[in-house]
Amino acid sequence: MPQLRIDYDRYLRRIPTHGHELPPEAEQPIRHYGRLANDAWNLLQYVGRNIARTNVYASRLDAHMERLRVMVLLSLAEAFERFLKECAAACIDQVHPLIPDGRLKVFRVSGDRFAPHFQTSTLGAALCEALPWCDCDEANSRYRSILAMPYEPGDFYVFPKTPKQQPAALRDRYEFVSIIWHLRHAIVHNRGIITASDAQMLQSLCRKPVAGPAVLSPTEADVWYVKLFLDDTANCLNREVATRLAGLLSAVHARNANAFDPGKKAEGLARQFQETVTVAGEPRSP
Amino acid sequence: MPPGILADWLEQQGSESWWSVDGDPTLEQSVNFPCDSDTLADDLRARKELLLVGVPEDAAWSGDAISSAEDLDAAVQTDEHGNRVLELRWSQQSYAQRWILCEDKGIARIARSATQGAEHAATAD
């Protein structure tokens, strides 16, 4: 057999050109999250359903299904990280022209990461896309700053850590989200191997012994629990962010009634967040 | 058929049955799947667009249109795990855009066991 000669220069460089446009729901973060998370879950179900119709090598099937569950768990975490980004970008685009109080200083994005967004994206996308969001403290710090009342340090935490932090509806999720971020880390960087240091961190978060090094092997129920939790957290976070953003814009309008048309602003928020909101006394529904 | 008929059919299957939709962008954006019958039925009832149902060739049904939840039974297929499956599309969707509604007995079992576990834990506390 002749030696295989692949033109890598041609074939590898063209891979990034194989893509398609973002779906229309990408402009509405919670709808985009819903689609991405459901798609990930459906992959697992589709394979499970159809593999049952074939003659399979059982031992290999078990190993491949384990790997698929790990990949789907990762996809769910990625969908949630994407949601955090899109939601933050939407907030920035709503507030940045109206409140020049330095609230965006929390974003440290280098010029070469920022510049490519200049012609096609919004400021929010340019600031949020380039950064990772899979760290609860960093996400807290950024959202707190974006959604602070004018010239105040801010009190809105997407993942409150103490009973005093707002909003109350998002409390008691910090550790659960952190567990999912650590699992994501193990899958992305160590192919699902929970290293000794991962195990130490997870043990503290899970409050039970976690072995390491070990290969992560989630059950289907594990994957579903992750989806249930992230679905609920995304819906709750979307609602709380929309409400806080509407309150912030109302405060801006109270200081300067010529800043914007509150009816139009509420309409835009309701459409983008798919929530009923009230801006400066003007209620709107999606 | 109006989506309310599918909602009626789902409710007839019992609130402990769980379902997933695979392939429909509109439902997948607004409902977190898998979900129980009641959750999906509520969402379907809020929709106006008609649904078209794929009826298997060997189905024992020869009517022109689905007019009741009972008619839907003829269109149901069953997979190897005993899950009921319906092939559907909205009237504005092309044939290539058809999607499936699939029961998830595995998740129903996990949900039941998790609920019982929580009740057991609450009693133990």
Side-chain angles (χ1 to χ4, degrees), chain A residues 220-246:
Chain A
E220 185 171 315
D222 293 337
V223 179
W224 182 49
Y225 293 138
V226 167
K227 184 173 191 298
L228 269 181
F229 172 74
L230 292 181
D231 288 349
D232 183 60
T233 303
N235 286 320
C236 186
L237 199 152
N238 186 66
R239 200 161 43 243
E240 293 296 325
V241 167
T243 304
R244 166 53 74 105
L245 187 54

mmCIF file of all heavy atoms in Angstrom, chain A residues 220-246:
data_model
loop_
_atom_site.group_PDB
_atom_site.id
_atom_site.type_symbol
_atom_site.label_atom_id
_atom_site.label_comp_id
_atom_site.label_asym_id
_atom_site.label_seq_id
_atom_site.Cartn_x
_atom_site.Cartn_y
_atom_site.Cartn_z
ATOM 1 N N GLU A 220 -26.182 8.464 33.255
ATOM 2 C CA GLU A 220 -27.145 9.292 32.529
ATOM 3 C C GLU A 220 -27.903 10.192 33.512
ATOM 4 O O GLU A 220 -28.195 11.352 33.213
ATOM 5 C CB GLU A 220 -28.127 8.412 31.760
ATOM 6 C CG GLU A 220 -29.070 9.234 30.898
ATOM 7 C CD GLU A 220 -29.905 8.376 29.971
ATOM 8 O OE1 GLU A 220 -29.330 7.468 29.352
ATOM 9 O OE2 GLU A 220 -31.119 8.620 29.871
ATOM 10 N N ALA A 221 -28.188 9.659 34.693
ATOM 11 C CA ALA A 221 -28.882 10.469 35.707
ATOM 12 C C ALA A 221 -28.018 11.671 36.110
ATOM 13 O O ALA A 221 -28.524 12.780 36.268
ATOM 14 C CB ALA A 221 -29.210 9.620 36.923
ATOM 15 N N ASP A 222 -26.697 11.456 36.242
ATOM 16 C CA ASP A 222 -25.796 12.567 36.591
ATOM 17 C C ASP A 222 -25.920 13.689 35.553
ATOM 18 O O ASP A 222 -25.992 14.868 35.902
ATOM 19 C CB ASP A 222 -24.331 12.102 36.617
ATOM 20 C CG ASP A 222 -24.043 11.120 37.735
ATOM 21 O OD1 ASP A 222 -24.790 11.119 38.732
ATOM 22 O OD2 ASP A 222 -23.062 10.347 37.615
ATOM 23 N N VAL A 223 -25.900 13.285 34.289
ATOM 24 C CA VAL A 223 -25.956 14.284 33.212
ATOM 25 C C VAL A 223 -27.283 15.030 33.281
ATOM 26 O O VAL A 223 -27.333 16.251 33.123
ATOM 27 C CB VAL A 223 -25.779 13.609 31.824
ATOM 28 C CG1 VAL A 223 -25.858 14.654 30.707
ATOM 29 C CG2 VAL A 223 -24.457 12.865 31.754
ATOM 30 N N TRP A 224 -28.352 14.291 33.566
ATOM 31 C CA TRP A 224 -29.669 14.942 33.641
ATOM 32 C C TRP A 224 -29.731 15.916 34.818
ATOM 33 O O TRP A 224 -30.267 17.013 34.706
ATOM 34 C CB TRP A 224 -30.778 13.887 33.741
ATOM 35 C CG TRP A 224 -32.140 14.503 33.768
ATOM 36 C CD1 TRP A 224 -32.625 15.458 32.905
ATOM 37 C CD2 TRP A 224 -33.184 14.233 34.691
ATOM 38 N NE1 TRP A 224 -33.923 15.790 33.250
ATOM 39 C CE2 TRP A 224 -34.288 15.058 34.336
ATOM 40 C CE3 TRP A 224 -33.315 13.378 35.772
ATOM 41 C CZ2 TRP A 224 -35.488 15.044 35.029
ATOM 42 C CZ3 TRP A 224 -34.516 13.363 36.454
ATOM 43 C CH2 TRP A 224 -35.592 14.187 36.088
ATOM 44 N N TYR A 225 -29.168 15.524 35.962
ATOM 45 C CA TYR A 225 -29.203 16.426 37.111
ATOM 46 C C TYR A 225 -28.453 17.727 36.793
ATOM 47 O O TYR A 225 -28.871 18.808 37.203
ATOM 48 C CB TYR A 225 -28.593 15.759 38.351
ATOM 49 C CG TYR A 225 -29.407 14.591 38.886
ATOM 50 C CD1 TYR A 225 -28.795 13.425 39.315
ATOM 51 C CD2 TYR A 225 -30.792 14.668 38.950
ATOM 52 C CE1 TYR A 225 -29.541 12.348 39.795
ATOM 53 C CE2 TYR A 225 -31.543 13.601 39.432
ATOM 54 C CZ TYR A 225 -30.918 12.448 39.844
ATOM 55 O OH TYR A 225 -31.656 11.400 40.316
ATOM 56 N N VAL A 226 -27.335 17.590 36.081
ATOM 57 C CA VAL A 226 -26.594 18.792 35.681
ATOM 58 C C VAL A 226 -27.478 19.665 34.786
ATOM 59 O O VAL A 226 -27.567 20.881 34.964
ATOM 60 C CB VAL A 226 -25.274 18.422 34.945
ATOM 61 C CG1 VAL A 226 -24.674 19.645 34.255
ATOM 62 C CG2 VAL A 226 -24.274 17.822 35.923
ATOM 63 N N LYS A 227 -28.164 19.023 33.848
ATOM 64 C CA LYS A 227 -29.024 19.807 32.938
ATOM 65 C C LYS A 227 -30.172 20.476 33.705
ATOM 66 O O LYS A 227 -30.445 21.661 33.517
ATOM 67 C CB LYS A 227 -29.575 18.933 31.809
ATOM 68 C CG LYS A 227 -30.382 19.755 30.809
ATOM 69 C CD LYS A 227 -30.808 18.968 29.593
ATOM 70 C CE LYS A 227 -31.372 19.891 28.517
ATOM 71 N NZ LYS A 227 -32.563 20.632 28.901
ATOM 72 N N LEU A 228 -30.803 19.706 34.571
ATOM 73 C CA LEU A 228 -31.905 20.273 35.366
ATOM 74 C C LEU A 228 -31.440 21.505 36.142
ATOM 75 O O LEU A 228 -32.100 22.541 36.156
ATOM 76 C CB LEU A 228 -32.389 19.237 36.387
ATOM 77 C CG LEU A 228 -33.506 18.282 36.019
ATOM 78 C CD1 LEU A 228 -33.807 17.391 37.213
ATOM 79 C CD2 LEU A 228 -34.753 19.032 35.596
ATOM 80 N N PHE A 229 -30.277 21.362 36.791
ATOM 81 C CA PHE A 229 -29.761 22.457 37.616
ATOM 82 C C PHE A 229 -29.397 23.669 36.750
ATOM 83 O O PHE A 229 -29.748 24.810 37.087
ATOM 84 C CB PHE A 229 -28.535 21.980 38.407
ATOM 85 C CG PHE A 229 -27.839 23.085 39.131
ATOM 86 C CD1 PHE A 229 -28.392 23.647 40.274
ATOM 87 C CD2 PHE A 229 -26.647 23.604 38.647
ATOM 88 C CE1 PHE A 229 -27.762 24.699 40.925
ATOM 89 C CE2 PHE A 229 -26.014 24.657 39.293
ATOM 90 C CZ PHE A 229 -26.574 25.200 40.436
ATOM 91 N N LEU A 230 -28.700 23.425 35.637
ATOM 92 C CA LEU A 230 -28.298 24.551 34.789
ATOM 93 C C LEU A 230 -29.506 25.198 34.119
ATOM 94 O O LEU A 230 -29.552 26.420 33.971
ATOM 95 C CB LEU A 230 -27.267 24.095 33.744
ATOM 96 C CG LEU A 230 -25.899 23.698 34.294
ATOM 97 C CD1 LEU A 230 -24.953 23.288 33.160
ATOM 98 C CD2 LEU A 230 -25.262 24.834 35.106
ATOM 99 N N ASP A 231 -30.490 24.397 33.706
ATOM 100 C CA ASP A 231 -31.724 24.971 33.125
ATOM 101 C C ASP A 231 -32.378 25.916 34.130
ATOM 102 O O ASP A 231 -32.742 27.044 33.808
ATOM 103 C CB ASP A 231 -32.737 23.863 32.784
ATOM 104 C CG ASP A 231 -32.333 23.032 31.575
ATOM 105 O OD1 ASP A 231 -31.388 23.424 30.874
ATOM 106 O OD2 ASP A 231 -32.976 21.985 31.341
ATOM 107 N N ASP A 232 -32.508 25.438 35.360
ATOM 108 C CA ASP A 232 -33.166 26.238 36.390
ATOM 109 C C ASP A 232 -32.346 27.494 36.705
ATOM 110 O O ASP A 232 -32.899 28.594 36.840
ATOM 111 C CB ASP A 232 -33.345 25.383 37.659
ATOM 112 C CG ASP A 232 -34.079 26.140 38.744
ATOM 113 O OD1 ASP A 232 -35.225 26.548 38.495
ATOM 114 O OD2 ASP A 232 -33.489 26.365 39.821
ATOM 115 N N THR A 233 -31.033 27.323 36.804
ATOM 116 C CA THR A 233 -30.164 28.471 37.118
ATOM 117 C C THR A 233 -30.205 29.497 35.987
ATOM 118 O O THR A 233 -30.290 30.707 36.235
ATOM 119 C CB THR A 233 -28.718 27.995 37.363
ATOM 120 O OG1 THR A 233 -28.736 27.021 38.413
ATOM 121 C CG2 THR A 233 -27.810 29.137 37.760
ATOM 122 N N ALA A 234 -30.150 29.029 34.738
ATOM 123 C CA ALA A 234 -30.180 29.955 33.594
ATOM 124 C C ALA A 234 -31.498 30.728 33.575
ATOM 125 O O ALA A 234 -31.503 31.944 33.378
ATOM 126 C CB ALA A 234 -29.983 29.184 32.285
ATOM 127 N N ASN A 235 -32.608 30.040 33.784
ATOM 128 C CA ASN A 235 -33.916 30.717 33.777
ATOM 129 C C ASN A 235 -34.009 31.747 34.905
ATOM 130 O O ASN A 235 -34.483 32.866 34.706
ATOM 131 C CB ASN A 235 -35.049 29.696 33.906
ATOM 132 C CG ASN A 235 -35.261 28.929 32.620
ATOM 133 O OD1 ASN A 235 -35.193 29.494 31.527
ATOM 134 N ND2 ASN A 235 -35.490 27.632 32.710
ATOM 135 N N CYS A 236 -33.537 31.355 36.091
ATOM 136 C CA CYS A 236 -33.592 32.245 37.247
ATOM 137 C C CYS A 236 -32.673 33.453 37.039
ATOM 138 O O CYS A 236 -33.049 34.603 37.276
ATOM 139 C CB CYS A 236 -33.185 31.446 38.490
ATOM 140 S SG CYS A 236 -33.376 32.356 39.997
ATOM 141 N N LEU A 237 -31.461 33.168 36.564
ATOM 142 C CA LEU A 237 -30.490 34.237 36.339
ATOM 143 C C LEU A 237 -31.011 35.222 35.280
ATOM 144 O O LEU A 237 -30.903 36.449 35.441
ATOM 145 C CB LEU A 237 -29.183 33.593 35.875
ATOM 146 C CG LEU A 237 -27.886 34.361 35.982
ATOM 147 C CD1 LEU A 237 -26.735 33.370 36.139
ATOM 148 C CD2 LEU A 237 -27.633 35.213 34.775
ATOM 149 N N ASN A 238 -31.597 34.689 34.227
ATOM 150 C CA ASN A 238 -32.140 35.536 33.154
ATOM 151 C C ASN A 238 -33.207 36.490 33.703
ATOM 152 O O ASN A 238 -33.230 37.677 33.404
ATOM 153 C CB ASN A 238 -32.731 34.630 32.074
ATOM 154 C CG ASN A 238 -33.190 35.396 30.860
ATOM 155 O OD1 ASN A 238 -32.383 35.983 30.148
ATOM 156 N ND2 ASN A 238 -34.492 35.412 30.625
ATOM 157 N N ARG A 239 -34.084 35.926 34.555
ATOM 158 C CA ARG A 239 -35.175 36.713 35.137
ATOM 159 C C ARG A 239 -34.610 37.806 36.058
ATOM 160 O O ARG A 239 -35.018 38.959 35.999
ATOM 161 C CB ARG A 239 -36.072 35.755 35.936
ATOM 162 C CG ARG A 239 -37.454 36.251 36.215
ATOM 163 C CD ARG A 239 -38.385 35.108 36.581
ATOM 164 N NE ARG A 239 -37.811 34.125 37.496
ATOM 165 C CZ ARG A 239 -37.605 32.849 37.206
ATOM 166 N NH1 ARG A 239 -37.928 32.376 36.022
ATOM 167 N NH2 ARG A 239 -37.086 32.015 38.092
ATOM 168 N N GLU A 240 -33.655 37.422 36.908
ATOM 169 C CA GLU A 240 -33.088 38.380 37.864
ATOM 170 C C GLU A 240 -32.288 39.472 37.168
ATOM 171 O O GLU A 240 -32.349 40.638 37.552
ATOM 172 C CB GLU A 240 -32.195 37.640 38.882
ATOM 173 C CG GLU A 240 -32.956 36.701 39.798
ATOM 174 C CD GLU A 240 -33.941 37.426 40.701
ATOM 175 O OE1 GLU A 240 -33.650 38.551 41.130
ATOM 176 O OE2 GLU A 240 -35.023 36.868 40.968
ATOM 177 N N VAL A 241 -31.529 39.085 36.150
ATOM 178 C CA VAL A 241 -30.735 40.078 35.413
ATOM 179 C C VAL A 241 -31.662 41.046 34.685
ATOM 180 O O VAL A 241 -31.449 42.264 34.707
ATOM 181 C CB VAL A 241 -29.768 39.377 34.420
ATOM 182 C CG1 VAL A 241 -29.187 40.381 33.428
ATOM 183 C CG2 VAL A 241 -28.641 38.688 35.178
ATOM 184 N N ALA A 242 -32.715 40.532 34.053
ATOM 185 C CA ALA A 242 -33.657 41.396 33.330
ATOM 186 C C ALA A 242 -34.309 42.393 34.290
ATOM 187 O O ALA A 242 -34.437 43.582 33.981
ATOM 188 C CB ALA A 242 -34.714 40.552 32.626
ATOM 189 N N THR A 243 -34.691 41.902 35.460
ATOM 190 C CA THR A 243 -35.347 42.774 36.447
ATOM 191 C C THR A 243 -34.377 43.840 36.943
ATOM 192 O O THR A 243 -34.725 45.026 37.042
ATOM 193 C CB THR A 243 -35.849 41.935 37.647
ATOM 194 O OG1 THR A 243 -36.710 40.916 37.142
ATOM 195 C CG2 THR A 243 -36.603 42.780 38.647
ATOM 196 N N ARG A 244 -33.124 43.429 37.266
ATOM 197 C CA ARG A 244 -32.143 44.395 37.753
ATOM 198 C C ARG A 244 -31.804 45.422 36.661
ATOM 199 O O ARG A 244 -31.690 46.611 36.920
ATOM 200 C CB ARG A 244 -30.874 43.656 38.218
ATOM 201 C CG ARG A 244 -29.677 44.571 38.427
ATOM 202 C CD ARG A 244 -29.982 45.739 39.358
ATOM 203 N NE ARG A 244 -30.072 45.355 40.733
ATOM 204 C CZ ARG A 244 -29.128 45.597 41.644
ATOM 205 N NH1 ARG A 244 -28.043 46.250 41.329
ATOM 206 N NH2 ARG A 244 -29.306 45.212 42.885
ATOM 207 N N LEU A 245 -31.659 44.930 35.433
ATOM 208 C CA LEU A 245 -31.326 45.835 34.327
ATOM 209 C C LEU A 245 -32.441 46.864 34.125
ATOM 210 O O LEU A 245 -32.178 48.057 33.924
ATOM 211 C CB LEU A 245 -31.101 45.011 33.055
ATOM 212 C CG LEU A 245 -30.591 45.733 31.813
ATOM 213 C CD1 LEU A 245 -29.313 46.514 32.101
ATOM 214 C CD2 LEU A 245 -30.338 44.713 30.698
ATOM 215 N N ALA A 246 -33.678 46.404 34.200
ATOM 216 C CA ALA A 246 -34.814 47.324 34.061
ATOM 217 C C ALA A 246 -34.804 48.342 35.203
ATOM 218 O O ALA A 246 -35.070 49.541 34.991
ATOM 219 C CB ALA A 246 -36.120 46.543 34.060
#
